[in-house]
């Protein structure tokens, strides 16, 4: 018997089941494409060149922010985290170029709330078990709606409320 567990059933995961499993059956704990009811969803429509400035304003108007900023690429993750740190924000990056020891150190600081903002890609943020996040900030929207649902579901857990913010540039309308 082969079992596959996944927090989201993206098309990539579904193709794996078709390739390696015989007559797979999908069992879902919740309806597909549902968002947590205790998560407030906001978006800010901006010009692409203003995206970083909007991210800083979000941090400024939420001084107790404790969240993850999702970027599309590891290069962008590094750039955004470095800019935030240079501008005096309590942030760091989590990406696949870090060694396991470096990842553990960053995650340890984030879990202890020594960091307010963790800037990461979806790949780097897989399997992170962090509680009490106040915000998820989508610096870029993901291509797959399931990934957006998975990202936003990292806040508002255990009966608490949270906010998922998408920074959208005008070409993404």
């Amino acid at each position: 018997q082969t079992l596959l567990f996944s927090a989201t059933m993206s098309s990539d995961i579904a193709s794996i089941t078709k390739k390696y499993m015989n007559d797979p059956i999908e069992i879902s704990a919740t309806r597909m494409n549902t968002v947590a009811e205790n998560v407030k969803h906001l978006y800010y429509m901006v010009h692409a060149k203003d995206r970083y400035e909007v991210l800083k304003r979000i941090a400024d108007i939420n001084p107790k922010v404790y969240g993850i900023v999702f970027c599309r690429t590891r290069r962008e993750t590094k750039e955004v985290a470095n800019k935030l740190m240079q501008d005096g924000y309590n942030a760091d990056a989590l990406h696949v170029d870090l060694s396991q020891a470096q990842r553990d150190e960053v995650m340890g600081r984030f879990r202890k709330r020594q960091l307010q903002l963790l800037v990461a890609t979806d790949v780097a943020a897989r399997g992170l078990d962090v509680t009490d996040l106040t915000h998820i900030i989508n610096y870029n929207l993901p291509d797959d709606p399931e990934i957006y649902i998975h990202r936003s579901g990292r806040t508002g857990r255990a009966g608490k409320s949270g906010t998922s913010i998408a920074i959208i540039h005008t070409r993404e309308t």
Side-chain angles (χ1 to χ4, degrees):
Q1 183 177 35
T2 303
L3 302 173
L4 172 70
F5 295 91
S6 179
T8 57
M9 190 58 72
S10 67
S11 56
D12 291 339
I13 300 294
S15 69
I16 291 171
T17 64
K18 289 179 180 126
K19 184 174 181 180
Y20 295 104
M21 302 175 88
N22 297 320
D23 298 322
I25 297 171
E26 181 179 341
I27 300 171
S28 298
T30 60
R31 293 187 340 255
M32 293 184 68
N33 292 327
T34 59
V35 294
E37 291 182 18
N38 51 346
V39 176
K40 180 178 174 183
H41 296 269
L42 303 171
Y43 72 92
Y44 296 102
M45 183 71 67
V46 302
H47 294 284
K49 66 179 176 52
D50 298 326
R51 189 183 303 263
Y52 176 72
E53 291 301 318
V54 170
L55 175 61
K56 289 195 319 180
R57 294 300 75 83
I58 292 168
D60 291 344
I61 63 173
N62 296 286
K64 294 185 188 249
V65 66
Y66 178 55
I68 301 174
V69 178
F70 282 101
C71 294
R72 206 175 276 242
T73 66
R74 76 178 143 218
R75 184 174 140 237
E76 187 174 57
T77 299
K78 292 176 193 179
E79 289 172 1
V80 170
N82 286 337
K83 283 182 182 178
L84 285 169
M85 290 184 284
Q86 288 171 359
D87 289 341
Y89 293 89
N90 193 2
D92 208 340
L94 187 69
H95 51 79
V96 295
D97 287 347
L98 296 176
S99 69
Q100 189 59 49
Q102 290 170 315
R103 287 173 58 97
D104 291 345
E105 190 268 331
V106 170
M107 282 309 303
R109 288 177 32 230
F110 187 59
R111 282 191 180 101
K112 292 175 189 170
R113 291 186 179 242
Q114 294 169 349
L115 296 174
Q116 286 184 279
L117 292 172
L118 182 67
V119 185
T121 62
D122 290 301
V123 172
R126 292 233 166 147
L128 294 185
D129 185 24
V130 182
T131 58
D132 300 330
L133 294 177
T134 62
H135 290 78
I136 294 300
I137 302 169
N138 295 279
Y139 196 75
N140 300 103
L141 282 177
D143 293 329
D144 187 343
E146 285 279 330
I147 294 173
Y148 176 83
I149 291 167
H150 186 65
R151 285 178 179 182
S152 64
R154 292 176 173 273
T155 187
R157 291 183 173 178
K160 296 184 177 162
S161 60
T163 304
S164 179
I165 300 172
I167 304 172
I168 303 170
H169 68 76
T170 52
R171 291 186 309 250
E172 294 176 315
T173 305

